[in-house]
Amino acid sequence: MTDVQTRARRQQRIEELSAASIRALSGIADLHFRGGRLHRGRQALPVFAPHLHPTLEADDFTSFRGAADGLALRLTHSDEKLHRSLRPSDPVECLLFELLEQFRCEALLPASMPGVRRNLRHRFETWSLAYHDAGATESARGLLLYTVTQMCRARVTRDAVVEATQDLLEATRAALAPVLGVAMAGLRRQRAHQAEYAQHALDIARTLATMLNGGAAFTNSETPQDEVNQTDPWAAFSALLDPGDELDESVATAVSGRSLVLEGHAGYRVFTTAYDREVKSTALVRPEQLRELRQRLDECIVECGVNVGHLARDLKALLAIPARDGWDNGQEQGLIDGRRLAQLISSPTERRLFRSERSSPGANCRVALLVDCSGSMKEHSESVAVLAELLVRALEQIGVPTEVLGFTTNAWNGGRAQRDWVRAGRPPHAGRLNEACHIVFKDVDTSWRRARPGMAALLKGDLMREGIDGEALDWAMRRFNTPARASDENAGDFEGPQRRLLFVVSDGSPMDSATHLANDAHYLDHHLRDMVEKHERAGAQIYGVGVGLDLSPYYRCSQVLDLSAGTSSGVLRDVLGMLWRGRRR
């Protein structure tokens, strides 16, 4: 396993534990991390205070616990609507106002939670020392900001200032006391009343912003003149700037955003469906080439050395639910067996007159793999084909009906659909401008052995062009409505509807150049998020399998796979881990 993959898995594990802790402490059930950012349902929550964002490289696990506890307290004790209405527009004042509101929420922690208090204290001290060790307190403005932060938290929460830097603060602290003393006393006194507290917080934020912009009275005489005269207040905040909005550079994250075109009109639209098609993969490849590709895929599967039987066993353990499997008769307890009542007359001492229902684990589900067949997936085609085939074979062994689907376009840069739009005079809100192509590599009623030639078409690189993910996901979900003959045989053994699991394998965001140019850059990925939310609300389980890319901006449950060395047992363990996390939600 590569360092990147190990780090991504550790980050994902810590985020799951942190989210569980936040949910438990706040009582809000739909909180989760996505793309390193805390979300409530689909909505990303505000960034809040900068010390609530530890990093794997610089911080220990207790820091993550403290940050999670701080976020939970903020959600519990702060009225976000009121906070937004009072928040100043000046960036320096805004950051200070956020910090002071966070200190207020942490001060409201009940005395019955000393462990949470220790976590909060540890996180704030770690963050403070990192700020100091980075050299930020060597400048006059940096020291001023650091001193006010320490003074305010100590006053509001009654915790002592960080001991390691206590002597450093004394001179600045003494100079600030006459200026900010009254407002700081008000912070402590009004900590239980957000609106009154905010007035004192605003006074401190405005006063400090004025000092940072011109505060000669608090500059160090040994500070270089060019540093004293700097007018950009953000320069002193370089170590304080919140990392929550930055992307993790070790693992690329899909970039997603809001589409103003989509929000400003009736919704997603397609300019024309005249050139769209749904086709079987065997119709796109010559039989001779298909045989060659099949042989190549067989060789790749042999080389990967994965035990399909073990994979099937693990999948069954994850997917199985109890199903009726007949009755055990002649029991001494359970339900009365009417057929044995005559024995009670002939043998009054007979006690084995009961029967109990027998159950065995079974997978009442249907699985579809939706493969992104855009041009960038060519370099991963072998690994993705092996992954799809191994999963299909293992799922078939445990009786789970499967299908393998793909999506691409018939042309680059819009093709005939885009030319029709140009001939129509380029009307506004063109919507999707390309020829969608949906490919069936294996349908649900075809066994793996019969579908082997079609699966090999995953290796044909010249089928791969651009990707319209949202429509493809909606198409794949609609196919679940078609009954599968393989699942009908055991349908009566299970209670409740059949579960629907969709795995989307992709290495990038939705991309169609013609659609982007005619609408805006986020038109397609906005629609993808809408489709994921729609079908998840309807009960489907959708998993994002990112090939070297974090797909968490689109999918609540996702996993980054490193396929640079091919498909291995480690890659399959990652997929199983993702399935386990989705099962627990």
Side-chain angles (χ1 to χ4, degrees):
M1 188 182 300
T2 66
D3 292 340
V4 170
Q5 192 173 3
T6 301
R7 186 189 182 283
R9 292 184 65 179
R10 182 166 176 249
Q11 178 75 37
Q12 198 164 33
R13 177 61 176 162
I14 288 176
E15 288 181 353
E16 289 173 2
L17 293 172
S18 297
S21 177
I22 297 170
R23 289 193 296 268
L25 192 56
S26 67
I28 303 174
D30 56 347
L31 293 172
H32 62 279
F33 281 93
R34 181 183 296 184
R37 184 79 171 268
L38 185 64
H39 284 63
R40 184 172 185 175
R42 184 181 170 191
Q43 180 183 7
L45 294 178
V47 172
F48 301 136
H51 67 282
L52 300 181
H53 304 278
T55 62
L56 283 178
E57 293 80 5
D59 299 301
D60 56 10
F61 184 70
T62 307
S63 283
F64 284 92
R65 284 293 308 273
D69 292 340
L71 288 169
L73 290 171
R74 180 63 177 269
L75 293 171
T76 303
H77 297 296
S78 181
D79 183 339
E80 187 58 30
K81 184 179 294 186
L82 175 61
H83 180 73
R84 282 199 307 269
S85 68
L86 297 171
R87 185 171 55 199
S89 58
D90 179 81
V92 178
E93 295 179 21
C94 180
L95 180 57
L96 292 166
F97 190 67
E98 287 287 347
L99 271 169
L100 294 175
E101 176 63 10
Q102 181 62 36
F103 296 160
R104 186 188 73 84
C105 294
E106 293 179 7
L108 297 177
L109 177 71
S112 59
M113 296 183 175
V116 174
R117 183 169 296 280
R118 285 194 298 271
N119 293 339
L120 295 171
R121 174 71 181 173
H122 176 85
R123 175 58 201 146
F124 182 74
E125 285 191 355
T126 303
W127 173 81
S128 299
L129 291 175
Y131 179 79
H132 172 65
D133 294 341
T137 54
E138 295 176 4
S139 69
R141 286 172 172 79
L143 180 58
L144 175 63
L145 175 62
Y146 182 76
T147 303
V148 172
T149 301
Q150 296 294 320
M151 291 174 63
C152 289
R153 190 178 191 279
R155 181 62 65 91
V156 176
T157 65
R158 293 289 177 90
D159 285 341
V161 298
V162 178
E163 184 177 359
T165 59
Q166 187 172 0
D167 294 339
L168 177 69
L169 309 181
E170 286 308 314
T172 309
R173 193 176 186 178
L176 286 171
V179 181
L180 302 178
V182 175
M184 286 189 180
L187 293 181
R188 175 67 188 176
R189 187 171 59 252
Q190 300 294 345
R191 66 189 184 280
H193 308 284
Q194 183 175 348
E196 290 80 0
Y197 177 94
Q199 299 308 314
H200 299 292
L202 287 170
D203 289 343
I204 293 174
R206 289 166 185 155
T207 302
L208 188 58
T210 302
M211 293 179 182
L212 289 170
N213 283 321
F218 296 96
T219 58
N220 189 328
S221 61
E222 299 179 359
T223 304
Q225 187 64 33
D226 59 342
E227 185 178 344
V228 172
N229 292 332
Q230 60 176 282
T231 58
D232 180 9
W234 283 111
F237 284 69
S238 57
L240 270 173
L241 285 174
D242 168 51
D245 285 336
E246 296 177 4
L247 296 177
D248 183 2
E249 295 180 357
S250 62
V251 178
T253 303
V255 179
S256 179
R258 293 167 51 248
S259 169
L260 299 180
V261 173
L262 198 56
E263 290 183 345
H265 294 79
Y268 183 82
R269 63 164 294 191
V270 178
F271 183 74
T272 178
T273 60
Y275 310 109
D276 296 351
R277 62 173 175 165
E278 177 182 324
V279 60
K280 290 190 174 182
S281 60
T282 51
L284 300 174
V285 189
R286 291 180 293 105
E288 296 80 7
Q289 185 180 16
L290 206 55
R291 284 192 290 270
E292 295 174 3
L293 295 176
R294 183 65 244 181
Q295 183 178 357
R296 178 177 151 199
L297 181 55
D298 288 337
E299 294 171 356
C300 293
I301 292 173
V302 171
E303 289 176 4
C304 77
V306 173
N307 188 314
V308 178
H310 290 174
L311 177 60
R313 179 195 61 198
D314 294 338
L315 284 170
K316 185 174 182 179
L318 287 172
L319 298 174
I321 58 175
R324 292 191 299 270
D325 190 25
W327 295 88
D328 288 326
N329 299 311
Q331 304 296 308
E332 294 186 357
Q333 60 182 1
L335 301 174
I336 295 177
D337 188 351
R339 297 171 299 177
R340 292 178 175 264
L341 289 178
Q343 288 183 330
L344 184 61
I345 306 299
S346 59
S347 303
T349 59
E350 179 61 60
R351 301 179 59 186
R352 292 174 296 177
L353 305 174
F354 303 90
R355 64 174 184 167
S356 60
E357 190 176 33
R358 184 171 61 245
S359 64
S360 61
N364 180 31
C365 66
R366 178 169 160 181
V367 174
L369 275 71
L370 180 63
V371 180
D372 176 7
C373 294
S374 58
S376 58
M377 286 286 284
K378 289 181 182 180
E379 59 179 302
H380 309 295
S381 59
E382 282 190 4
S383 299
V384 170
V386 171
L387 176 65
E389 175 128 345
L390 291 173
L391 288 174
V392 166
R393 288 171 60 180
L395 289 166
E396 187 171 287
Q397 285 189 18
I398 61 174
V400 175
T402 61
E403 58 183 358
V404 181
L405 311 170
F407 63 95
T408 182
T409 58
N410 292 322
W412 294 96
N413 302 318
R416 292 169 290 183
Q418 197 268 350
R419 291 195 291 272
D420 286 354
W421 175 69
V422 172
R423 282 194 289 266
R426 302 175 185 266
H429 189 207
R432 188 255 291 174
L433 279 180
N434 209 327
E435 311 169 23
C437 179
H438 295 155
I439 306 172
V440 180
F441 295 97
K442 175 192 176 300
D443 63 42
V444 71
D445 291 323
T446 303
S447 67
W448 164 72
R449 293 190 179 279
R450 291 176 53 203
R452 290 177 73 249
M455 295 280 289
L458 282 164
L459 300 178
K460 186 170 172 58
D462 56 6
L463 297 178
M464 301 178 178
R465 296 182 180 88
E466 299 187 272
I468 303 171
D469 300 49
E471 288 188 56
L473 187 143
D474 190 45
W475 164 68
M477 293 306 306
R478 290 199 306 270
R479 291 179 63 89
F480 278 107
N481 297 328
T482 304
R485 290 195 300 269
S487 62
D488 288 343
E489 298 173 0
N490 300 321
D493 296 338
F494 298 94
E495 295 181 1
Q498 187 183 55
R499 291 176 295 157
R500 299 168 295 160
L501 282 69
L502 177 66
F503 293 84
V504 183
V505 185
S506 177
D507 71 336
S509 302
M511 178 61 197
D512 173 45
S513 54
T515 302
H516 285 180
L517 290 173
N519 299 278
D520 60 32
H522 296 297
Y523 190 78
L524 293 177
D525 63 80
H526 190 145
H527 178 242
L528 172 59
R529 295 198 311 274
D530 287 345
M531 289 296 101
V532 172
E533 182 184 21
K534 167 189 170 183
H535 291 292
E536 284 186 336
R537 282 202 309 265
Q541 299 176 37
I542 304 177
Y543 299 88
V545 182
V547 181
L549 182 77
D550 182 2
L551 297 179
S552 57
Y554 304 125
Y555 307 99
R556 289 189 61 181
C557 192
S558 63
Q559 177 65 50
V560 181
L561 299 185
D562 181 8
L563 298 181
S564 57
T567 302
S568 62
S569 298
V571 170
L572 290 167
R573 280 198 301 271
D574 288 341
V575 175
L576 293 174
M578 176 183 63
L579 193 57
W580 170 247
R581 293 192 300 273
R583 176 184 176 180
R584 290 185 298 167
R585 288 186 173 177

